[in-house]
Amino acid sequence: MTQTIYDNIVYLLSLVGISFGDSIVPKIIIVLFIAILILVEVSLMVMFFTWMERKVLGHIQVRRGPMITGPHGLLQPIVDGIKLLTKEDITPKRADKWLYFIAPLIVFVPSILVFIPMPFGQGAIVSDLPVGILYIMAISAISPVGVLIAGWASDNKYALLGSLRAVAQDISYEIPMVLTVIGVVLITGSLSMQDIVLAQGEKTWFVFLQPLGFIIFLIAAIAEMSRIPFDLHESESEFVAGFFTEYSGMKFAFFFLAEYAHLFGISAIMATLYFGGWQGPLIPGIPVVIMSVGWFTIKVLAIVFFTIWLRGTVPRVRVDQILSIGWKVMIPLALLNLFITGLLVAGGVL
Amino acid sequence: MLLTNPDLGLFVFIIIGAAAVFCSLMVVHAKNIVHSAVYLAGLMIALAAMYVTLNAEFVASIQVLVYVGAVVTLILFAIMLTRRSEVP
């Protein structure tokens, strides 16, 4: 039942009359094509998010946001991209050249790899890994290393302080996040993302079964995405721009892309774990694949809209507050949620 | 999917093994301690990739989660919070 994009492409090709036996080259070409497809999908979503963020923030602040390039400024992200590509790429004189070069990649690559077990729709998943959600948590644990390296290699006190803050925040909010995910996994009985979605089709959305878990996950997710109530690593009034102060040009663009890909990734995880993933009412006549991808995209966009809304309305918290909330409130609550869920599952209620 | 092909599987295994050996040598030989820590992260990821070629995805995930996510981050944190006498 768990079809993948690969299976679908092979099926489509066989409809046209192309088939291949054991030869390996066409398989590699298809896999590369899927990789490019995911990269394009993530880039398009990132471009749309940057436009959406400016527009929504603009309307919250009673202005119109970008209006010049394209209808309602829709082409603004492309113009921004060209600007970043043509900017001078500066490396500070005292920077550690090799680490300075590699840090944006260490941050960027995991934020894309997260999408491998992500069910974009029915039959639209790159690979339904049996350890899906655990893999996602493991891969997203790599990027703090890149953040620390970026801050250290820049040889700038603001960058170093910003990176230390960012990583302290990341690792302290990763624990409640993983603990709440265990609640979902307990109910489903499987780590696979596709199984989690299908279980929500049978029961109900897990946001209703795990209300406390959802609230903890939401707060931890906003902290992991470093969105505004918790965006301490780049608080402009304290550090210049956090750990990427010294970066410019294409390297800066990679950090920027990684940040928004991270936003997309965590919103997608939240939609999958708590809002039923690609499940939704189907309209007869439209293929299931297109409808399910549509529902998934709508859910992700709603979550992204919520984070932008928060950015427009909530002030930033202090660094000691954020860490003490993380360790003294979030982790005990997450453990409580896990305890209650475990009791209910063991009692056969859920 | 692709790794079930025996020739390709062996090829991938050799590449990952070479990367793991290179990273572990560099952990010892790097002059800068931060470089050592980064090579250690690379070594852990290479080991995880090796577990994947052996069809042990769970062990690979835990390897990355624990070693890269926690141990290497902690090592880097400790390096950055300690005072160093001279800039290398």
Side-chain angles (χ1 to χ4, degrees):
Chain A
M1 181 55 214
T2 51
Q3 279 179 322
T4 60
I5 300 179
Y6 181 85
D7 296 336
N8 281 328
I9 290 176
V10 171
Y11 175 68
L12 283 178
L13 285 177
S14 69
L15 281 186
V16 191
I18 306 168
S19 64
F20 35 84
D22 286 338
S23 55
I24 201 158
V25 176
K27 286 184 183 172
I28 293 179
I29 292 172
I30 293 179
V31 169
L32 283 179
F33 174 73
I34 295 171
I36 292 168
L37 198 72
I38 294 300
L39 210 57
V40 168
E41 150 86 7
V42 174
S43 319
L44 281 179
M45 287 301 262
V46 165
M47 285 162 83
F48 187 72
F49 288 166
T50 56
W51 175 80
M52 188 171 149
E53 176 144 40
R54 289 176 164 203
K55 281 310 253 195
V56 174
L57 267 185
H59 282 282
I60 286 173
Q61 295 162 356
V62 203
R63 46 189 185 86
R64 288 158 107 192
M67 289 295 282
I68 309 286
T69 37
H72 287 268
L74 254 178
L75 299 177
Q76 189 69 36
I78 299 172
V79 182
D80 285 347
I82 295 170
K83 184 199 81 177
L84 281 174
L85 271 172
T86 50
K87 274 204 168 179
E88 190 189 352
D89 189 14
I90 302 167
T91 306
K93 208 172 175 183
R94 279 165 52 83
D96 190 319
K97 300 279 180 306
W98 186 74
L99 290 180
Y100 187 80
F101 171 75
I102 208 167
L105 297 177
I106 301 179
V107 178
F108 175 71
V109 172
S111 67
I112 299 293
L113 284 180
V114 156
F115 291 98
I116 289 178
M118 195 73 77
F120 290 103
Q122 191 173 18
I125 180 170
V126 178
S127 170
D128 186 23
L129 296 178
V131 289
I133 185 69
L134 186 67
Y135 165 87
I136 290 177
M137 290 299 156
I139 287 291
S140 42
I142 297 178
S143 49
V145 175
V147 171
L148 266 181
I149 293 170
W152 186 83
S154 305
D155 201 22
N156 175 324
K157 60 184 169 190
Y158 298 117
L160 183 57
L161 283 173
S163 73
L164 285 177
R165 265 193 190 187
V167 173
Q169 179 185 324
D170 265 8
I171 53 179
S172 50
Y173 278 84
E174 205 173 295
I175 302 165
M177 198 168 176
V178 174
L179 284 176
T180 50
V181 167
I182 296 175
V184 170
V185 172
L186 268 180
I187 299 178
T188 315
S190 164
L191 288 164
S192 151
M193 293 293 268
Q194 199 74 281
D195 285 355
I196 290 173
V197 174
L198 292 174
Q200 290 179 78
E202 288 163 16
K203 290 171 177 144
T204 173
W205 288 2
F206 285 157
V207 65
F208 302 122
L209 297 182
Q210 293 263 298
L212 178 62
F214 171 68
I215 292 167
I216 298 166
F217 188 91
L218 182 68
I219 297 172
I222 293 165
E224 286 275 305
M225 297 189 278
S226 333
R227 303 290 300 176
I228 247 194
F230 304 128
D231 75 329
L232 285 162
H233 71 268
E234 56 164 309
S235 45
E236 299 90 348
S237 50
E238 296 159 40
F239 307 129
V240 187
F243 61 88
F244 46 75
T245 303
E246 294 284 355
Y247 283 86
S248 66
M250 211 47 217
K251 292 198 190 97
F252 172 78
F254 267 107
F255 278 123
F256 192 74
L257 258 173
E259 193 172 315
Y260 279 89
H262 206 73
L263 173 67
F264 179 27
I266 293 187
S267 307
I269 296 168
M270 204 190 291
T272 307
L273 291 185
Y274 291 101
F275 292 103
W278 44 261
Q279 309 243 6
L282 299 175
I283 300 171
I286 303 175
V288 182
V289 173
I290 294 174
M291 276 309 286
S292 56
V293 172
W295 277 116
F296 181 77
T297 314
I298 289 171
K299 284 168 185 172
V300 169
L301 286 180
I303 295 167
V304 172
F305 177 82
F306 178 75
T307 64
I308 298 171
W309 185 14
L310 270 185
R311 180 175 171 179
T313 43
V314 187
R316 186 178 288 139
V317 293
R318 267 196 343 253
V319 65
D320 57 323
Q321 288 171 334
I322 194 171
L323 288 180
S324 65
I325 291 170
W327 289 100
K328 291 179 194 160
V329 180
M330 300 277 286
I331 293 180
L333 278 180
L335 285 171
L336 178 72
N337 174 59
L338 184 58
F339 179 67
I340 295 171
T341 314
L343 276 186
L344 289 178
V345 170
V349 182
L350 284 176
Chain B
M1 182 163 54
L2 278 174
L3 290 176
T4 46
N5 183 308
D7 293 340
L8 196 73
L10 185 66
F11 179 67
V12 170
F13 192 85
I14 288 172
I15 288 185
I16 295 167
V21 171
F22 172 75
C23 283
S24 47
L25 282 176
M26 289 307 285
V27 171
V28 187
H29 284 287
K31 292 216 165 52
N32 193 325
I33 194 165
V34 178
H35 289 191
S36 287
V38 175
Y39 279 117
L40 190 63
L43 170 64
M44 294 309 171
I45 291 171
L47 283 183
M50 206 171 264
Y51 292 137
V52 172
T53 64
L54 299 172
N55 286 327
E57 287 114 343
F58 187 81
V59 185
S61 300
I62 295 294
Q63 169 91 8
V64 172
L65 192 63
V66 171
Y67 283 96
V68 182
V71 172
V72 173
T73 313
L74 206 67
I75 289 175
L76 280 170
F77 230 98
I79 292 169
M80 282 168 202
L81 290 179
T82 43
R83 197 180 293 269
R84 49 188 170 160
S85 49
E86 88 284 3
V87 180

